[in-house]
Amino acid sequence: MNYPSFVVLIVLIYKCQSKCVMYDACANLSPLYKGQSPFKAKWQNCEYSGEPQPVHNQHVMRMFKKLCPSLYNGDDNQALCCSANQIRILTKSISEAEAIIGSCPSCYFNFRNFWCQITCHPDQHRFVQPIEYQLAETNNFSHVLHEYEKAKQITDFYDDFEEYEQEETESKHMGYVVSKINVYMNREYLGRLIESCRDVKLYGSDALQGFCGVPAHMCTPEQYAHHMGLEVEQNPFKMNFILNQTEQKTLSIHRTRIEQQQQKEDTVDALIQPVMPQYFMCNQSFQFGDLDYGSRCSCK
Ligand SMILES: *[C@@H]1O[C@H](CO)[C@@H](O)[C@H](O)[C@H]1NC(C)=O
Ligand SMILES: *[C@@H]1O[C@H](CO)[C@@H](O)[C@H](O)[C@H]1NC(C)=O
Ligand SMILES: *[C@@H]1O[C@H](CO)[C@@H](O)[C@H](O)[C@H]1NC(C)=O
């Protein structure tokens, strides 16, 4: 029997007040193989509508302080819209950019901060709005990571990978993950970020090209946002950047929920106030607390 897809349209208008709009890594998009690092898979964030939470992990907060110094407020119990797992995943994926733009601390800082804001900002709802959710089989990143590390220890010891038998994963749960978001960012901010990276060279070619998809001299905020949000294949979800919304404003956000045969749609009203994150220019030296980036600046 052939079940045609159908669309249920529900229009719900209510004020969206929770500060975080997604939380934690809860479903792997690509399959995970036995003994494979969970960082190799793309993890999607769970639907969440609630308050920011403390990470409750000192080791991870040390990672956070290095990764996102502009968001770190000095308190290891500060509440964030990202979980320990998201900080681990972000640290891992951002470190790949260090080889490319790490020679320019301001460019590298601005790049990290761009992702930190979207992922962890405690007022995430002000500039990040999910527009598409997908029903997916959920998975527990902490558990997978723990099992992976345990297996690695065992295999390091025996030096024989086959001897490790991973326990069968328990019954599967389904949940909504975020598959597309709107990100309201200031065009000027992206312009500054691009400027700070424009002259960075990697083996003589433009480092920025990899982030913008076009040669550095042609990179505009729109092009950068398009490439970063919709073309970079490492992203676990799509990001629609909206750069021309600069004032605080209540907007109607149209959302879609996708289940196998079904799409449900609704609309929420959200008060949007794009952030203007801190940034540094290429010729600026800067420091945060005990982290000093000033001494090794060379952007050309
Ligand atoms: C995920 O796994 C961790 C570690 O195994 C466990 O402490 C935690 O309760 C699990 N979370 C959920 C939601 O099952
Ligand atoms: C921003 O641009 C979009 C698409 O080009 C347009 O639909 C929207 O009305 C613009 N918003 C503002 C605030 O100018
Ligand atoms: C950095 O460069 C900008 C122009 O790109 C200039 O206006 C500014 O004064 C410079 N700052 C320093 C500290 O040299």
Side-chain angles (χ1 to χ4, degrees):
M1 191 181 273
N2 192 7
Y3 292 95
S5 15
F6 62 97
V7 174
V8 185
L9 184 70
I10 319 163
V11 180
L12 289 172
I13 306 280
Y14 56 86
K15 271 253 182 291
C16 206
Q17 273 167 347
S18 302
K19 292 187 166 176
C20 305
V21 298
M22 50 193 187
Y23 197 79
D24 205 13
C26 64
N28 46 304
L29 254 185
S30 39
L32 270 173
Y33 300 104
K34 200 167 125 184
Q36 190 187 28
S37 161
F39 292 105
K40 290 262 190 279
K42 291 194 247 183
W43 288 82
Q44 287 183 304
N45 303 134
C46 330
E47 167 179 28
Y48 178 72
S49 178
E51 292 301 300
Q53 299 174 33
V55 162
H56 294 306
N57 182 320
Q58 276 199 338
H59 171 69
V60 171
M61 281 311 279
R62 275 198 298 277
M63 287 164 82
F64 180 70
K65 182 182 168 183
K66 268 197 178 159
L67 182 70
C68 310
S70 72
L71 283 180
Y72 180 71
N73 69 6
D75 176 6
D76 277 357
N77 289 316
Q78 80 179 97
L80 296 168
C81 285
C82 58
S83 67
N85 289 331
Q86 285 173 280
I87 295 170
R88 291 184 179 107
I89 292 168
L90 190 59
T91 299
K92 192 84 173 177
S93 50
I94 294 280
S95 69
E96 286 164 22
E98 185 171 9
I100 303 167
I101 53 175
S103 63
C104 181
S106 50
C107 164
Y108 185 42
F109 168 89
N110 293 336
F111 176 75
R112 290 201 317 274
N113 195 23
F114 171 81
W115 292 109
C116 288
Q117 299 286 329
I118 297 170
T119 314
C120 296
H121 198 292
D123 279 317
Q124 189 179 53
H125 69 122
R126 276 172 32 191
F127 63 103
V128 177
Q129 286 293 332
I131 54 170
E132 191 184 279
Y133 301 94
Q134 222 146 14
L135 193 66
E137 202 173 80
T138 60
N139 202 348
N140 182 334
F141 184 93
S142 307
H143 182 71
V144 176
L145 181 63
H146 180 76
E147 290 298 304
Y148 168 71
E149 283 173 349
K150 210 168 70 182
K152 220 171 60 172
Q153 275 172 7
I154 294 170
T155 51
D156 282 352
F157 185 72
Y158 289 109
D159 202 23
D160 180 2
F161 196 69
E162 292 307 309
E163 294 211 352
Y164 169 68
E165 281 298 321
Q166 196 172 8
E167 68 194 65
E168 277 300 306
T169 31
E170 320 84 67
S171 62
K172 293 291 183 185
H173 297 282
M174 303 295 282
Y176 279 106
V177 295
V178 174
S179 50
K180 195 168 191 178
I181 60 177
N182 274 355
V183 182
Y184 299 84
M185 245 186 205
N186 222 302
R187 189 176 192 280
E188 186 193 339
Y189 169 66
L190 272 191
R192 302 291 178 169
L193 189 161
I194 290 165
E195 277 319 309
S196 73
C197 297
R198 212 185 283 278
D199 293 326
V200 182
K201 299 278 186 239
L202 182 73
Y203 306 122
S205 40
D206 298 337
L208 187 57
Q209 180 151 2
F211 300 87
C212 209
V214 295
H217 72 277
M218 288 164 67
C219 184
T220 60
E222 283 75 15
Q223 177 62 39
Y224 188 91
H226 179 78
H227 191 74
M228 278 295 170
L230 300 171
E231 286 178 351
V232 169
E233 62 175 43
Q234 288 95 321
N235 290 339
F237 47 74
K238 300 279 179 210
M239 281 169 281
N240 242 346
F241 284 91
I242 294 154
L243 306 180
N244 61 354
Q245 176 65 52
T246 49
E247 304 299 318
Q248 174 172 316
K249 199 176 173 190
T250 299
L251 297 178
S252 282
I253 312 284
H254 189 72
R255 309 185 299 187
T256 307
R257 277 172 195 278
I258 302 174
E259 301 185 23
Q260 288 113 358
Q261 305 285 335
Q262 204 176 338
Q263 281 193 18
K264 293 181 199 157
E265 316 213 348
D266 72 358
T267 303
V268 288
D269 271 7
L271 185 66
I272 300 295
Q273 191 183 6
V275 281
M276 183 65 189
Q278 193 171 14
Y279 59 83
F280 294 98
M281 291 186 293
C282 226
N283 60 2
Q284 271 180 307
S285 59
F286 56 98
Q287 61 186 84
F288 280 92
D290 52 355
L291 297 174
D292 185 357
Y293 302 90
S295 51
R296 54 190 183 97
C297 192
S298 84
C299 294
K300 288 191 192 226

